[in-house]
Amino acid sequence: MSSRKKKGRRGPNVSAVKKGAKEQSRRGGGGGWYYDRPDNVEEFEFTTDTARIDIIPFEVTDKTHDAVREGRCAVGDLWYKRTIWIHRSVGAEGRGYCCPTTIGNKCPVCEEHKRLQNDKDADESVVKALKRKQRELFFVRDLGTKGDEIQISLLDMSFHTFGRLLAKEINESDDDNVANFANIEDGLTLKVRTSEESIGDSTFIEADRIDFIEREDQYEEEVLDLVCDPSDIIKVPTYKELEAAFYESSSSEEEEEDESEEEDEEPFVKDDPEEDEEEDPDDEVAWKQGDRVVVDIEGEDYAGEITKVKEDTAMVTFDDGDDDEIDLDELRAEDAEEDDEPEEDPDEEEWEDEEDDEPEVETKKKKTRKRRT
């Protein structure tokens, strides 16, 4: 599966793993419909029992990998996970899709979500339904499986039910070797305790404790041939493909409407995904320096002011004095803020109840909420 060009690398860069864990501890976000699992790889799912797993790193081969785009590693380096974003219930058929922002492209669903966030008259349930969900893919070896042959499995979890805790443990550990857990020659086994949780009528498995223990057996470099860059297996639609599904008519009556009227109603019809958004007359006003914004971080709202706007991100100075670079699609106008109800979805980025019992993470922003009226 792997076409490794560089020898001698045994695991992800430790300092990059630590940096990523700190960033994730302050941020908040499966199924086969958004990836094609390799034939030699099984599906791994946690049960309510304690599991022991080794996370197997892979060589990054795609420049669209999130860790490459965020500067945590380079093509040719080893890394341990792939972050993906998904949309559920898109279009009249209610299908799920991998969000194009997963590979750094524009997304018509995210654009509409952002537009509705700034519309005070928008249906809040629609706004929440359009919000992208964060998941993570890992290649793991389940040590609870008998046999001498190494069987690789794919772990696909919501960031909020596994990755958040993993980032927290790395971030808070005093042992520098913890961040080296995915090294093939001197890495660590993860002992993961899980429990069944529920939100509304939904139940799901969530990791509630992760211990890093010495491995009984380490790995040879050949284990890297059993895995691949998950970027190679995810199924990401083009802007036009997702746009066509998203704006698909939900009834025959809508399909029979006048063609020119339909074009007027569709705000994001583009021939080129890379087309300048300002050329679309129905698109929202671009963010600019000085705009007051609100950012959702770990389910809490933080207010601040834009100090610089880049192509896909903006520098924001928060009211507590911290500065951070935020994706444009995560910003919303301060005066458009609405009260949020708990989302009945373990992938959603609003988990206030559980976080009250967790210790403060070093890099978490001091809570600064705008008073709602």
Side-chain angles (χ1 to χ4, degrees):
M1 293 174 60
S2 173
S3 56
R4 291 173 288 110
K5 296 180 181 180
K6 299 182 180 181
K7 302 292 183 179
R9 289 198 171 102
R10 300 296 183 263
N13 181 282
V14 171
S15 62
V17 171
K18 289 182 177 179
K19 180 180 178 182
K22 287 185 178 181
E23 292 175 358
Q24 283 197 310
S25 69
R26 63 195 284 181
R27 296 181 185 174
W33 44 267
Y34 49 81
Y35 60 79
D36 288 317
R37 181 165 48 85
D39 292 338
N40 68 310
V41 174
E42 297 181 348
E43 199 84 32
F44 178 81
E45 294 184 355
F46 286 113
T47 65
T48 53
D49 297 326
T50 299
R52 294 185 304 121
I53 60 173
D54 290 339
I55 294 181
I56 308 299
F58 54 86
E59 180 183 345
V60 177
T61 60
D62 194 322
K63 64 181 181 181
T64 68
H65 190 288
D66 58 287
V68 175
R69 290 186 286 112
E70 295 171 2
R72 299 179 190 174
C73 70
V75 171
D77 290 344
L78 296 182
W79 199 244
Y80 68 100
K81 66 174 181 178
R82 179 57 157 105
T83 297
I84 62 176
W85 298 88
I86 64 171
H87 290 290
R88 290 196 172 102
S89 302
V90 174
E93 296 183 358
R95 291 183 55 192
Y97 291 89
C98 190
C99 177
T101 60
T102 296
I103 58 174
N105 289 345
K106 297 177 183 178
C107 171
V109 182
C110 288
E111 289 174 336
E112 178 67 358
H113 174 257
K114 182 178 177 181
R115 184 186 72 81
L116 292 177
Q117 277 188 315
N118 294 289
D119 182 352
K120 294 182 179 180
D121 297 325
D123 186 331
E124 186 64 24
S125 64
V126 174
V127 177
K128 288 186 176 182
L130 295 181
K131 189 174 184 179
R132 64 179 188 171
K133 310 297 191 300
Q134 183 181 3
R135 300 191 70 84
E136 293 177 327
L137 302 179
F138 303 82
F139 286 114
V140 304
R141 183 186 183 189
D142 178 10
L143 300 181
T145 302
K146 296 181 179 180
D148 296 330
E149 183 178 350
I150 297 176
Q151 175 61 57
I152 301 297
S153 300
L154 183 67
L155 172 61
D156 167 25
M157 290 282 284
S158 162
F159 168 73
H160 303 280
T161 57
F162 179 71
R164 183 198 297 276
L165 180 59
L166 178 60
K168 179 176 179 289
E169 295 293 346
I170 296 171
N171 188 34
E172 296 185 348
S173 176
D174 294 327
D175 184 356
D176 290 340
N177 195 44
V178 164
N180 200 39
F181 65 91
N183 190 292
I184 60 175
E185 290 188 344
D186 58 358
L188 299 170
T189 289
L190 274 63
K191 184 179 179 182
V192 185
R193 187 182 70 186
T194 57
S195 60
E196 185 175 77
E197 304 295 337
S198 63
I199 298 180
D201 295 330
S202 301
T203 59
F204 52 91
I205 297 296
E206 178 182 5
D208 57 31
R209 177 171 176 172
I210 299 177
D211 293 313
F212 298 85
I213 60 178
E214 289 188 12
R215 287 179 180 168
E216 295 182 0
D217 298 295
Q218 298 291 350
Y219 297 92
E220 301 292 336
E221 190 167 351
E222 285 69 27
V223 72
L224 300 178
D225 294 326
L226 303 177
V227 296
C228 67
D229 185 340
S231 300
D232 296 339
I233 66 174
I234 56 177
K235 300 185 289 188
V236 183
T238 65
Y239 186 103
K240 293 177 69 175
E241 290 171 342
L242 187 54
E243 181 183 56
F246 182 47
Y247 290 106
E248 181 182 25
S249 297
S250 59
S251 70
S252 59
E253 292 181 359
E254 292 176 344
E255 294 174 356
E256 294 172 358
E257 289 180 356
D258 181 77
E259 181 177 355
S260 61
E261 182 179 347
E262 287 183 347
E263 292 177 354
D264 289 340
E265 292 175 352
E266 295 186 358
F268 297 103
V269 179
K270 301 180 182 179
D271 294 328
D272 184 356
E274 299 301 323
E275 181 180 349
D276 186 355
E277 291 187 358
E278 292 184 358
E279 297 179 3
D280 188 338
D282 292 318
D283 204 355
E284 59 190 274
V285 178
W287 295 108
K288 62 182 182 301
Q289 183 176 346
D291 283 349
R292 291 286 302 176
V293 296
V294 174
V295 181
D296 179 353
I297 301 176
E298 288 191 311
E300 300 289 351
D301 292 333
Y302 298 87
E305 182 175 307
I306 294 177
T307 57
K308 185 177 181 180
V309 179
K310 301 180 181 180
E311 181 179 358
D312 298 314
T313 62
M315 292 301 301
V316 177
T317 297
F318 290 92
D319 291 347
D320 60 5
D322 286 352
D323 296 314
D324 204 352
E325 186 170 0
I326 306 295
D327 290 345
L328 293 180
D329 61 6
E330 296 181 10
L331 302 176
R332 65 183 194 274
E334 187 178 42
D335 60 4
E337 201 174 359
E338 298 287 343
D339 286 321
D340 292 334
E341 296 297 328
E343 179 70 27
E344 296 185 4
D345 185 343
D347 290 333
E348 191 52 82
E349 301 180 7
E350 298 163 351
W351 284 53
E352 294 90 346
D353 293 341
E354 285 83 352
E355 292 176 352
D356 290 340
D357 297 327
E358 294 184 358
E360 282 289 319
V361 179
E362 177 183 353
T363 56
K364 184 175 180 180
K365 292 184 180 297
K366 187 171 100 175
K367 181 176 176 183
T368 305
R369 277 186 179 270
K370 173 180 177 289
R371 185 178 296 278
R372 294 182 172 127
T373 58

